[in-house]
Amino acid sequence: MLNIPGMATDKISKSSRVFSKFSAKITKVAGSSWAFVTACIVVFVWAVTGPLFHFSDTWQLVINTGTTIVTFLMVFLIQQSQNKDTVALHLKLNELIASNNAASNRLVNIEDLTEEELAVLKKFYTELSCLSKENKDVFSTHSIDEAKQNYHEKKRIKQRDDAMVEPPLQTSN
């Protein structure tokens, strides 16, 4: 059992744990090569028995009903498993962002933003990419704020250096 200080993990119900373990096992089995081979064998046996049942409506209904039921149930199991994996992945990424001093903490829990907010962030990161291309160094910055600060600082230094260079003396003949 997971034991995180300050977190009430004892409130997680036993039925929730049982379902989580069950769905993880079923999802793993359903995604295996053996499950695919078994499904192929079932379809083959069904097709071979067609002449035996004179390709009747009942014969067709058997495969239709079976595949519909399996598909219906698997959608929910796979979605539950995918949701769990997505949350775990987000938590891992949040941990990496939070533990890196150079990373922008604005990205922690970014998955909770609206589509409009994500579009604004995408615009910022597009700008960051443009700034990196201008500086000819895609690895030069870590966040929008840092990128803007570095960009403006480099621009200021370049302008100062350009102003300090004296034009060549013109000599008259």
Side-chain angles (χ1 to χ4, degrees):
M1 181 190 323
L2 182 65
N3 188 11
I4 299 174
M7 191 173 184
T9 56
D10 54 333
K11 292 186 178 186
I12 299 171
S13 69
K14 184 177 180 179
S15 62
S16 178
R17 278 197 202 109
V18 169
F19 179 74
S20 185
K21 287 181 182 181
F22 170 77
S23 65
K25 285 180 183 178
I26 295 297
T27 304
K28 188 174 182 178
V29 169
S32 70
S33 301
W34 289 107
F36 179 75
V37 169
T38 302
C40 289
I41 291 170
V42 167
V43 170
F44 178 76
V45 168
W46 171 79
V48 168
T49 60
L52 180 67
F53 293 103
H54 308 290
F55 300 101
S56 68
D57 289 343
T58 305
W59 172 80
Q60 291 180 28
L61 190 61
V62 166
I63 196 72
N64 290 340
T65 304
T67 56
T68 300
I69 291 170
V70 168
T71 302
F72 180 75
L73 295 174
M74 287 306 296
V75 164
F76 295 104
L77 283 176
I78 291 169
Q79 187 62 53
Q80 189 273 343
S81 177
Q82 195 171 28
N83 289 348
K84 182 179 170 186
D85 288 348
T86 300
V87 169
L89 180 62
H90 286 216
L91 291 170
K92 289 176 183 181
L93 291 172
N94 289 347
E95 173 62 18
L96 290 173
I97 292 168
S99 67
N100 185 338
N101 290 337
S104 172
N105 286 334
R106 287 188 268 177
L107 297 180
V108 173
N109 291 330
I110 193 172
E111 64 277 5
D112 295 333
L113 298 179
T114 65
E115 287 185 42
E116 292 80 16
E117 291 168 325
L118 289 173
V120 169
L121 272 177
K122 182 179 179 187
K123 185 177 175 185
F124 284 144
Y125 280 97
T126 301
E127 184 180 338
L128 172 64
S129 174
C130 291
L131 291 174
S132 294
K133 286 178 186 175
E134 260 184 53
N135 292 332
K136 307 245 188 292
D137 184 3
V138 294
F139 301 107
S140 64
T141 57
H142 298 92
S143 70
I144 289 293
D145 299 330
E146 190 178 14
K148 284 181 178 178
Q149 184 179 357
N150 286 347
Y151 174 74
H152 293 302
E153 180 65 20
K154 288 178 184 180
K155 193 173 180 179
R156 188 184 62 75
I157 290 170
K158 184 172 179 0
Q159 287 172 346
R160 184 195 68 202
D161 291 347
D162 289 347
M164 291 179 72
V165 174
E166 295 179 32
L169 295 175
Q170 295 182 355
T171 57
S172 59
N173 288 344

